[in-house]
Amino acid sequence: EYDVVGYHNKSQLSSKPIDVLQTGKSICEGYAGLFEQMCSIAGIQCMKLSGYSKGYGYKMGQTFTGDSDHAWNAVYLDGRWHLLDSTWGSGAVDDSFTKFTFRYNEFYFLTHPALFINNHFPDNSNWQLLKPTLTLKDFENNMLHNSNFYMLGLLTAHPETTVIQTVNGKASVSVDCHSATLFTFKLKGTDEHGLMTLKKHGMNLDIYPQKTGSHKLQIFAKPSKASEDVYNCVLEYVIECESVDKAMRFPKDLHQPVGPSWFTERQGFLRPSHTNPIIHTNDGRCSVTFTLGKDISILASLQSDNSSLTEDMRRRHIMQIHRGNQIELKIHLPHAGNFVLKIYAKKKSDPGNYDYIFNYLITCLNTEVKWPAFPQTLSGLLPANRNIQFKLKMHGIAKVLVQAENAYPLTQNRGYWEGTCNTSGCREVFVMVHENANHSFYSHVLKYEVETQ
């Protein structure tokens, strides 16, 4: 095991292979020396190498000076040299460097030189086993990908430098990978100041720090098939922010990642009308449609940091319209600002609760916007075989129909929609509206049962 005490007090330490074997502990020098001795006994050509490493205590963007700080090995097998680090393969020390945890990690065994150079820089550049070789400056500036990055099948990350300067208050990061992977991030410990979207082979992240200065950005990932909810840190950056974009202050309720993706498709939300995570509306109205998988019931709510409306009232600013397996969420915002449209779902056949699936960010800058809530779908009871008088007050509507056995259009008169319908021969009566003369479909706003004979 790694000798944490010996590391702090090197005078008491022996790195001779025989001593390392007898005590069962050492630092990297001892691991690499014992490995070299064992190879020599086994008749395998082996070299002990030294150099700089981005290991314990490494700070992003730091420069390396003075003596080398780490040791590892190269072995000659099948006509060529290979690199390995038995110290890093055995486990890890904690941040305070007082405790070692055994964690066997085969990533550092015969690692490809192009990946090994990511955190090992040998004193003799020939031992990079790369053409062309990297300079120390390249090594210092290059992105640090830890072994989790490669173990999870991630391919590349952009930008490839550890320090990112914001441009107009924004910095962007993207990761490419082979298979469906879920991501999260933390900027200074929270995920409030960014917008992450999943793509089929990776993710995109836009970061908007709300303070100037240096911020640590961490990216975490886990395979989509993983049962436990454990995300591993795969990347770290330093974000240097010179100016803050106050307009990109996101609501606290915004949940990452934002917008639809392969993940929401798996949950049964197909062909979204809006593939972008942000929906901009100038008049405070928007409409989102999906084709739903079988047996799905959905619930939607609007969240906002600066809204005094109750949750129930906020729900009433969304109207669900079903057409076969298509669902439309029609949204009328109560006021200007940033809103989170949260979408929950469950199986219709399942008596349990709704599960959160995903969310959109809806933004409206027009301060004159002030839409009333949609009318609750009243389920009144109407008498059979009668003429029923209707008088309704509705804003921003092109046509109104009452659908019984026949359809009865209402006419507009002094701000009201008026007319009569007959209830004979039908079980239900619907009031339907055309919001826009160009639309070809009606939305149901009221529903009545008709008394049986």
Side-chain angles (χ1 to χ4, degrees):
E1 69 177 286
Y2 195 86
D3 189 351
V4 184
V5 178
Y7 173 84
H8 292 293
N9 188 0
K10 298 212 172 46
S11 62
Q12 304 296 307
L13 195 67
S14 165
S15 293
K16 286 186 187 150
I18 191 74
D19 295 335
V20 173
L21 261 184
Q22 280 176 339
T23 59
K25 55 171 73 171
S26 185
I27 60 169
C28 58
E29 190 72 27
Y31 274 85
L34 176 59
F35 192 90
E36 184 184 32
Q37 180 82 23
M38 288 163 70
C39 283
S40 147
I41 295 165
I44 295 170
Q45 201 178 342
C46 176
M47 293 287 292
K48 187 171 81 170
L49 307 177
S50 60
Y52 295 128
S53 74
K54 293 182 179 178
Y56 168 77
Y58 167 72
K59 296 274 184 291
M60 280 188 297
Q62 79 173 55
T63 51
F64 291 91
T65 51
D67 294 341
S68 53
D69 62 9
H70 193 47
W72 58 93
N73 299 94
V75 287
Y76 193 75
L77 305 168
D78 293 337
R80 63 191 181 96
W81 286 97
H82 299 261
L83 300 167
L84 62 93
D85 185 337
S86 51
T87 315
W88 285 13
S90 68
V93 285
D94 63 340
D95 285 344
S96 59
F97 217 89
T98 50
K99 184 168 172 283
F100 171 79
T101 306
F102 284 104
R103 196 181 301 127
Y104 179 68
N105 183 352
E106 220 167 85
F107 180 77
Y108 295 105
F109 181 67
L110 313 186
T111 316
H112 192 290
L115 304 186
F116 206 76
I117 191 65
N118 188 37
N119 40 24
H120 293 75
F121 188 84
D123 293 335
N124 176 344
S125 61
N126 290 336
W127 285 113
Q128 292 181 20
L129 306 183
L130 292 172
K131 279 196 173 80
T133 55
L134 250 69
T135 64
L136 180 59
K137 194 95 203 109
D138 292 334
F139 177 71
E140 288 169 348
N141 291 340
N142 275 0
M143 194 59 230
L144 173 60
H145 300 153
N146 60 25
S147 60
N148 286 330
F149 184 91
Y150 300 108
M151 302 294 247
L152 284 166
L154 307 186
L155 300 171
T156 55
H158 296 280
E160 290 176 346
T161 51
T162 45
V163 180
I164 311 175
Q165 309 284 345
T166 58
V167 177
N168 299 329
K170 169 183 168 183
S172 297
V173 172
S174 66
V175 176
D176 295 316
C177 57
H178 274 309
S179 53
T181 306
L182 293 167
F183 293 88
T184 70
F185 71 92
K186 292 238 179 306
L187 180 72
K188 275 197 142 173
T190 87
D191 66 357
E192 284 170 21
H193 305 304
L195 199 68
M196 176 180 276
T197 53
L198 292 181
K199 50 185 187 176
K200 200 166 185 181
H201 298 294
M203 70 87 182
N204 293 321
L205 172 62
D206 291 333
I207 287 286
Y208 301 90
Q210 293 297 301
K211 284 188 180 150
T212 53
S214 288
H215 306 277
K216 178 168 154 181
L217 171 67
Q218 294 170 294
I219 313 266
F220 304 83
K222 74 166 193 161
S224 69
K225 293 186 176 70
S227 50
E228 64 275 10
D229 205 23
V230 179
Y231 283 82
N232 285 306
C233 184
V234 289
L235 287 172
E236 286 193 9
Y237 288 96
V238 174
I239 307 283
E240 293 284 358
C241 179
E242 286 178 14
S243 67
V244 170
D245 184 349
K246 289 283 185 216
M248 296 308 275
R249 184 170 275 168
F250 300 119
K252 287 197 171 44
D253 282 311
L254 191 67
H255 196 84
Q256 308 290 342
V258 186
S261 64
W262 56 264
F263 177 76
T264 56
E265 248 178 48
R266 279 190 193 178
Q267 314 296 316
F269 288 79
L270 313 172
R271 293 191 274 286
S273 57
H274 292 71
T275 49
N276 203 319
I278 305 184
I279 299 172
H280 297 277
T281 163
N282 188 40
D283 69 354
R285 295 189 296 181
C286 59
S287 141
V288 185
T289 58
F290 302 96
T291 302
L292 286 184
K294 284 193 177 64
D295 188 35
I296 293 178
S297 169
I298 84 167
L299 197 66
S301 74
L302 274 183
Q303 315 276 339
S304 161
D305 286 352
N306 55 356
S307 184
S308 54
L309 296 176
T310 64
E311 169 138 20
D312 182 52
M313 269 317 278
R314 282 200 301 263
R315 268 211 192 124
R316 285 184 49 201
H317 281 267
I318 305 170
M319 181 162 69
Q320 285 193 28
I321 301 160
H322 296 263
R323 294 181 207 93
N325 63 348
Q326 213 189 32
I327 183 160
E328 178 183 4
L329 297 175
K330 211 178 258 298
I331 295 130
H332 285 183
L333 298 179
H335 50 75
N338 285 342
F339 290 82
V340 182
L341 172 64
K342 288 207 161 177
I343 297 173
Y344 303 81
K346 75 177 184 76
K347 285 198 156 110
K348 287 180 188 160
S349 52
D350 190 345
N353 293 333
Y354 284 84
D355 289 326
Y356 166 78
I357 307 291
F358 69 116
N359 54 192
Y360 282 98
L361 177 66
I362 301 178
T363 82
C364 176
L365 300 174
N366 181 353
T367 50
E368 289 175 19
V369 159
K370 196 175 180 187
W371 288 99
F374 286 105
Q376 280 178 303
T377 306
L378 302 177
S379 25
L381 203 57
L382 299 178
N385 302 325
R386 290 275 177 82
N387 284 334
I388 307 289
Q389 191 73 32
F390 277 87
K391 185 175 180 182
L392 303 166
K393 187 162 197 169
M394 287 190 275
H395 300 282
I397 298 294
K399 285 186 199 162
V400 183
L401 266 189
V402 178
Q403 179 72 53
E405 175 72 1
N406 299 312
Y408 301 87
L410 302 188
T411 51
Q412 207 169 8
N413 183 15
R414 298 198 194 129
Y416 287 92
W417 290 90
E418 296 179 331
T420 310
C421 94
N422 189 286
T423 58
S424 50
C426 66
R427 303 291 302 279
E428 293 174 322
V429 170
F430 294 98
V431 176
M432 308 196 323
V433 300
H434 233 160
E435 271 192 60
N436 178 327
N438 303 327
H439 283 180
S440 57
F441 53 83
Y442 282 92
S443 310
H444 290 195
V445 289
L446 300 172
K447 172 185 167 185
Y448 297 91
E449 307 280 320
V450 177
E451 283 175 349
T452 48
Q453 288 296 300

